[in-house]
Amino acid sequence: MSGGVSMKRKPLTTKQLAFYGLMIALALILSYLESLIPPFFAVPGMKLGLTNLVVLIMLYSKGARSAVFINFVRILLVSLLFGNGMSFAYSMAGGLLSALVMILLKRIGGFSIAAVSIAGGVAHNVGQIIAAILLLQTTSIAWYLLILWFTGTVSGAVIGILGGILCKKLQSARLFAE
Amino acid sequence: MKKHARDVLLIALIMLIGGVIALCLLLTRKTGAFVEVRVDGSVVSVYPLDEDAEYLIEGAHGGSNRLIIRNGEAWVESASCPDGLCMNMGHIRYKGASIVCLPNRVVISIAGEADEDVDAVVGQ
């Protein structure tokens, strides 16, 4: 928790640089994999949020600053590679709100990784709806918010449970040790 | 189980807010009178919901969506966008309900109220 402030002054070590590169590459691959899955359940915008797995693990192993950094770079690169300006705005709104909520809940403490991920999944969808309201200048997508509110909890739970298992396994991995 | 007390509280709160949103939407819903078509945020056309018809909507970037209005419901039957999500968004009839096609920047929404007394007639 307190490591965030001192990290600002310290230059990045080679190991950290390689580690961040690896994590961004992993997030990109997951983004690409997810884009290959056809939209199911006839609910547009409903996604599994596989990349949130990386953000979640970063948040719990390296802290808030690293999680936000990875998320930002990932969204930027995905938009450049596979998307456009619009998708960048949507991803950014969803990604940042989701990260913010997850960081806050982790700070408050007492929540499991799955619960934090569920709140993050909902926040992600709320962020995207807010972006859509601003970009399309319409408030008539309230119904859409309702659907995405609940699908967000489902995908958040799936990712959260996976993330919890991974965090436990990765604690013993040398790569994640400082 | 005490360990998960906060988790349960958080998830209950999320579900509660979701329920409140659902309740608000259900209690305030009214059958609409018009189908409003927006492209890039500005209204391009308004069609009556009680007249069966078919329209071709010209969206942004040369895209198009085929809008069907039948039996007091509106839906998108076919579209040029690659994902075709707007076709999956179902049939809409209630005020405020909408179909969004992000690639074509098209928003089709239901406006007005079918049962209300006429306060004013706009246009003509």
Side-chain angles (χ1 to χ4, degrees):
Chain A
M1 287 282 264
S2 58
V5 182
S6 60
M7 223 181 80
K8 201 174 160 187
R9 297 283 155 85
K10 246 192 288 175
L12 221 58
T13 64
T14 313
K15 190 188 168 189
Q16 280 172 324
L17 197 64
F19 179 78
Y20 282 100
L22 200 64
M23 285 300 113
I24 289 168
L26 183 60
L28 277 176
I29 287 169
L30 290 175
S31 276
Y32 177 67
L33 270 182
E34 190 159 294
S35 74
L36 293 179
I37 304 171
F40 31 41
F41 298 126
V43 181
M46 185 193 170
K47 288 207 286 187
L48 199 50
L50 278 174
T51 48
N52 201 36
L53 206 52
V54 177
V55 178
L56 204 62
I57 290 167
M58 285 304 285
L59 176 63
Y60 275 88
S61 62
K62 299 285 175 188
R65 194 184 291 267
S66 308
V68 169
F69 174 71
I70 292 282
N71 207 11
F72 182 79
V73 175
R74 188 264 305 176
I75 291 166
L76 198 67
L77 287 177
V78 167
S79 298
L80 282 173
L81 287 170
F82 313 118
N84 49 43
M86 287 285 281
S87 67
F88 175 74
Y90 284 105
S91 303
M92 210 44 130
L96 288 187
L97 193 64
S98 161
L100 192 74
V101 166
M102 292 198 294
I103 289 164
L104 272 176
L105 286 176
K106 188 182 168 248
R107 283 266 159 88
I108 294 166
F111 299 107
S112 71
I113 295 179
V116 168
S117 173
I118 287 172
V122 175
H124 180 269
N125 289 349
V126 170
Q128 293 209 315
I129 291 281
I130 292 170
I133 288 172
L134 294 178
L135 284 172
L136 297 169
Q137 287 153 36
T138 174
T139 50
S140 58
I141 45 179
W143 280 100
Y144 200 41
L145 170 67
L146 180 66
I147 302 164
L148 285 186
W149 184 276
F150 288 104
T151 59
T153 64
V154 176
S155 50
V158 173
I159 294 302
I161 291 165
L162 271 174
I165 297 167
L166 277 174
C167 273
K168 214 173 266 176
K169 300 260 183 207
L170 288 173
Q171 261 170 7
S172 52
R174 279 187 63 200
L175 189 63
F176 279 80
E178 196 54 62
Chain B
M1 274 300 110
K2 206 182 169 192
K3 212 177 102 191
H4 295 297
R6 286 200 162 186
D7 287 355
V8 172
L9 203 70
L10 180 70
I11 291 160
L13 188 71
I14 289 170
M15 288 299 158
L16 188 74
I17 297 171
V20 169
I21 296 171
L23 207 64
C24 286
L25 289 172
L26 274 176
L27 290 178
T28 57
R29 77 174 182 182
K30 287 181 177 120
T31 305
F34 305 104
V35 181
E36 225 173 52
V37 179
R38 284 166 199 266
V39 176
D40 258 331
S42 50
V43 179
V44 291
S45 43
V46 177
Y47 306 117
L49 191 57
D50 53 5
E51 276 173 35
D52 295 0
E54 273 188 46
Y55 304 97
L56 192 70
I57 300 161
E58 303 288 337
H61 316 301
S64 62
N65 303 63
R66 183 164 291 280
L67 171 72
I68 311 280
I69 301 174
R70 200 172 297 154
N71 303 327
E73 286 184 332
W75 69 92
V76 173
E77 181 131 298
S78 59
S80 66
C81 47
D83 49 15
L85 291 175
C86 45
M87 285 141 63
N88 291 332
M89 289 180 85
H91 296 202
I92 54 172
R93 61 160 64 230
Y94 294 109
K95 186 187 175 185
S98 64
I99 295 170
V100 181
C101 176
L102 288 179
N104 293 348
R105 302 208 66 179
V106 170
V107 178
I108 299 159
S109 55
I110 305 290
E113 282 167 27
D115 305 318
E116 71 186 344
D117 295 336
V118 175
D119 291 316
V121 178
V122 182
Q124 303 298 313

